[in-house]
Amino acid sequence: GAVVSQHPSWVICKSGTSVKIECRSLDFQATTMFWYRQFPKQSLMLMATSNEGSKATYEQGVEKDKFLINHASLTLSTLTVTSAHPEDSSFYICSARGGGALNSPLHFGNGTRLTVT
Amino acid sequence: LAKTTQPISMDSYEGQEVNITCSHNNIATNDYITWYQQFPSQGPRFIIQGYKTKVTNEVASLFIPADRKSSTLSLPRVSLSDTAVYYCLVGDANTGFQKLVFGTGTRLLVSP
């Protein structure tokens, strides 16, 4: 089945630094990928939609200059958390549609645990 | 976007059948119903998807009544490893399931 891979699975960084998270579709092409954030004991919250070859669209309340998204190829989208602060510590998850039929379901990566110290 | 409502939590025992019902009263014609399972510190895992009537795969069944305003995920003979959060989502296939919105999910606890 469709596989979405995220890297790294966890990262610890110091406040003020930037962190890049990669999301790859391993066996299919994804013109659109989605980025979510999940805080402990809470549901996933959609942050932005990543579109190959064009600008990402962000959900209300998500700072586009804070969370930079690049979708330079059909198999890779990256999320960069710029000038990270402790409140950015969270679980970040990407997803992509599995390809093929229009109703192919979304498949999710295994997430990236970001801890900002 | 169709909103979903599920029970916050459910308890069961090993070997029992578990049915989790999801309400989606404003589901649209092009919407599909998809269920995901999530373990702690992992991304959601696809379980099953359907449009109407009944769908069955190797791990679960999905029952959808004619009006499609609700759906029921059925897990036969659960085991301890089925303890997880289960999410019901409704999305428009014509848009490639753009902007899927996650509800609270149902936290299933399976005990020995």
Side-chain angles (χ1 to χ4, degrees), chain A residues 13-77:
Chain A
C13 71
K14 292 187 176 181
S15 189
T17 61
S18 296
V19 173
K20 180 185 285 188
I21 302 170
E22 293 186 347
C23 179
R24 293 182 185 274
S25 55
L26 295 187
D27 51 359
F28 64 98
Q29 294 181 334
T31 55
T32 304
M33 291 183 175
F34 305 96
W35 287 96
Y36 293 81
R37 181 165 58 178
Q38 186 176 33
F39 292 107
K41 302 293 186 184
Q42 294 188 22
S43 186
L44 283 77
M45 292 184 349
L46 180 65
M47 298 176 64
T49 300
S50 171
N51 303 297
E52 188 268 336
S54 64
K55 291 183 179 180
T57 54
Y58 292 80
E59 295 302 301
Q60 190 173 8
V62 178
E63 301 175 55
K64 61 180 181 180
D65 295 329
K66 172 80 172 172
F67 299 100
L68 300 179
I69 291 174
N70 184 279
H71 194 153
S73 78
L74 287 172
T75 60
L76 174 64
S77 174

Side-chain angles (χ1 to χ4, degrees), chain B residues 36-55:
Chain B
Y36 290 88
Q37 175 193 55
Q38 187 182 28
F39 298 112
S41 297
Q42 293 187 27
R45 184 174 74 98
F46 171 79
I47 301 175
I48 198 166
Q49 177 174 287
Y51 184 80
K52 62 180 179 181
T53 62
K54 176 184 175 182
V55 181

Side-chain angles (χ1 to χ4, degrees), chain B residues 7-84:
Chain B
I8 295 294
S9 64
M10 293 182 69
D11 294 325
S12 183
Y13 293 95
E14 282 189 292
Q16 289 191 335
E17 178 184 79
V18 171
N19 296 306
I20 306 174
T21 297
C22 177
S23 171
H24 28 79
N25 290 318
N26 59 339
I27 188 169
T29 303
N30 295 323
D31 286 344
Y32 278 72
I33 301 155
T34 313
W35 285 80
Y36 290 88
Q37 175 193 55
Q38 187 182 28
F39 298 112
S41 297
Q42 293 187 27
R45 184 174 74 98
F46 171 79
I47 301 175
I48 198 166
Q49 177 174 287
Y51 184 80
K52 62 180 179 181
T53 62
K54 176 184 175 182
V55 181
T56 298
N57 61 22
E58 62 274 10
V59 298
S61 294
L62 179 59
F63 299 91
I64 306 169
D67 65 5
R68 304 200 327 124
K69 293 183 183 300
S70 67
S71 60
T72 299
L73 174 72
S74 181
L75 304 172
R77 298 179 299 281
V78 294
S79 63
L80 297 178
S81 62
D82 292 318
T83 293

